[in-house]
């Protein structure tokens, strides 16, 4: 007897995609905990934890436990991504555009893990550490795109704001990405290296922090401009998304200034890392709000007047 494969409902698939976003946020936060507790070399090699063991040993103490726990969380994140990919593959009929995004999220997990291994093998080189963080941002962006695409109909995409405003939204998203990149340079010049003996990137902390702050001011200015521009054209959904983006940016900026003037306490630095993820998600939300997909509507095939009523033709 042939086995019946039941189609995966969109609701379940969307929940899996949301779980993937949350899990990847978790890996960023726990990765930050590894660095902020100086546990970056708690497992001094990779893919093993030591030369003789794949798991942490009692001699490695709490640092080994923290680093190894972060590695194990990567498997949990990968399992969620795999479940999402399988759900997309078993969906009938398979929806266009979902499979490439699900594959990107799934393959992004081992790619990020390899970068994590390289950070260990290079003794926490700050440039590699920054790249490891940005790889997480890329996976989060792909997971968010998948989540939004699942919730959209399969019809054509139409713009809900004028073309210049869509361009302004793209520039704002690019500015958000630039802020994230420069933020990794600030981190690489600061005191939280992940290990007491890890090297720094050699940049002047005050100077690069000022560059970072300038980029943040630019981002906030662009985001405020989006609010007024979207409101002027009556794009309510886009206006709400831009307001949320500004609110997240202001919260993130407040944490950034407080942590700078209080000499970078670990708890605030960890909150700032989570805030970076939220800024990215809010910027992507603005991007999605500038267009929408329309439901698929059956086309009608017209016939001569004397041949009767037009017959709908499925597409």
């Amino acid at each position: 007897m042939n086995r019946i494969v039941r189609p995966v409902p969109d609701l379940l698939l969307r929940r899996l995609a949301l779980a993937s976003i949350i899990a990847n946020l978790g890996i960023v936060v726990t990765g930050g905990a590894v660095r902020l507790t100086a546990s970056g070399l708690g497992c001094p090699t990779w893919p093993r934890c030591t030369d003789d063991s794949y798991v942490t040993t009692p001699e490695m103490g709490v640092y080994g436990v923290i680093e190894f726990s972060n590695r194990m969380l990567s498997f949990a994140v990968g399992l969620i991504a795999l479940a999402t990919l399988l759900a997309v593959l078993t969906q009938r009929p398979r929806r266009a555009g979902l499979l490439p995004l699900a594959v990107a999220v799934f393959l992004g997990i081992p790619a990020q893990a390899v970068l994590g291994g390289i950070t260990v093998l290079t003794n926490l080189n700050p440039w590699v550490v920054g790249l490891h963080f940005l790889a997480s941002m890329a996976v989060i962006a792909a997971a968010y795109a998948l989540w939004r695409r699942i919730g959209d109909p399969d019809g054509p995409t139409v713009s809900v704001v004028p073309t210049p405003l869509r361009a302004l939204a793209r520039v704002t998203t690019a500015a958000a990405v630039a802020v994230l990149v420069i933020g990794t340079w600030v981190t690489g010049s600061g005191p939280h290296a992940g290990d007491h003996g890890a090297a720094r990137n050699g940049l002047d902390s005050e100077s690069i922090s000022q560059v970072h702050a300038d980029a943040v001011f630019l981002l906030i200015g662009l985001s405020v401009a989006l609010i007024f521009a979207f409101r002027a054209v009556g794009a309510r959904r886009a206006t709400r998304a831009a307001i949320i983006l500004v609110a997240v940016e202001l919260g993130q900026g407040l944490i950034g200034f407080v942590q700078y003037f209080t000499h970078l306490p670990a708890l605030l630095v960890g909150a700032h890392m989570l805030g970076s993820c939220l800024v990215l998600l809010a910027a992507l939300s603005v991007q999605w709000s500038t267009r929408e997909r329309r439901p698929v509507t059956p086309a009608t095939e017209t016939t001569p007047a004397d041949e009767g009523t037009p017959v709908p033709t499925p597409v």
Side-chain angles (χ1 to χ4, degrees):
M1 179 182 295
N2 292 333
R3 193 175 175 185
I4 299 176
V5 179
R6 296 185 181 275
V8 179
D10 280 356
L11 179 59
L12 173 59
L13 187 54
R14 200 156 195 249
R15 287 177 176 173
L16 283 171
L18 180 60
S20 187
I21 296 173
I22 295 172
N24 279 284
L25 291 177
I27 203 75
V28 170
V29 173
T30 58
V34 170
R35 180 167 60 83
L36 295 170
T37 57
S39 303
L41 295 178
C43 287
T45 188
W46 187 87
R48 295 174 182 264
C49 196
T50 69
D51 290 336
D52 302 317
S53 175
Y54 280 100
V55 300
T56 184
T57 62
E59 293 78 15
M60 301 170 72
V62 66
Y63 297 114
V65 172
I66 293 173
E67 162 66 4
F68 185 72
S69 298
N70 181 247
R71 293 188 183 188
M72 290 298 98
L73 184 58
S74 296
F75 285 100
V77 177
L79 287 175
I80 295 174
L82 177 60
T84 306
L85 176 59
L86 292 176
V88 170
L89 289 171
T90 57
Q91 193 178 42
R92 295 293 184 274
R94 188 177 299 166
R95 295 180 56 196
L98 298 187
L99 184 57
L101 290 171
V103 170
V105 174
F106 176 67
L107 295 182
I109 306 302
Q112 185 211 42
V114 170
L115 278 173
I118 294 173
T119 64
V120 172
L121 297 176
T122 57
N123 294 317
L124 306 183
N125 180 289
W127 300 106
V128 181
V129 172
L131 187 60
H132 183 45
F133 172 78
L134 294 175
S136 295
M137 296 296 101
V139 175
I140 289 173
Y144 179 82
L146 176 61
W147 179 70
R148 291 299 298 256
R149 181 65 187 86
I150 293 168
D152 285 343
D154 289 332
T157 301
V158 296
S159 178
V160 297
V161 299
T163 300
L165 295 190
R166 291 199 70 182
L168 180 58
R170 293 190 191 98
V171 170
T172 304
T173 301
V177 172
V179 167
L180 295 178
V181 173
I182 299 172
T184 65
W185 303 346
V186 176
T187 298
S189 67
H192 296 293
D195 185 80
H196 298 298
R200 304 283 71 205
N201 60 20
L203 298 175
D204 180 70
S205 293
E206 290 191 8
S207 298
I208 196 62
S209 294
Q210 183 61 58
V211 172
H212 183 58
D214 292 341
V216 170
F217 287 134
L218 173 63
L219 174 60
I220 293 175
L222 290 170
S223 302
V224 171
L226 281 176
I227 294 176
F228 288 103
F230 289 154
R231 181 172 294 174
V233 298
R236 295 182 179 180
R237 188 165 64 96
T239 301
R240 287 195 298 270
I243 290 173
I244 292 172
L245 173 60
V246 170
V248 172
E249 290 166 353
L250 291 176
Q252 174 74 338
L254 178 61
I255 294 173
F257 277 110
V258 172
Q259 72 168 6
Y260 179 79
F261 290 110
T262 55
H263 308 293
L264 302 175
L267 187 61
L268 284 181
V269 175
H272 199 56
M273 292 183 67
L274 176 59
S276 298
C277 301
L278 298 181
V279 168
L280 175 64
L281 291 173
L284 293 174
S285 176
V286 170
Q287 200 68 45
W288 249 264
S289 72
T290 63
R291 93 291 184 278
E292 63 181 23
R293 282 183 179 271
R294 300 287 169 81
V296 177
T297 55
T300 57
E301 182 179 321
T302 59
T303 59
D306 60 343
E307 292 186 10
T309 307
V311 179
T313 303
V315 293

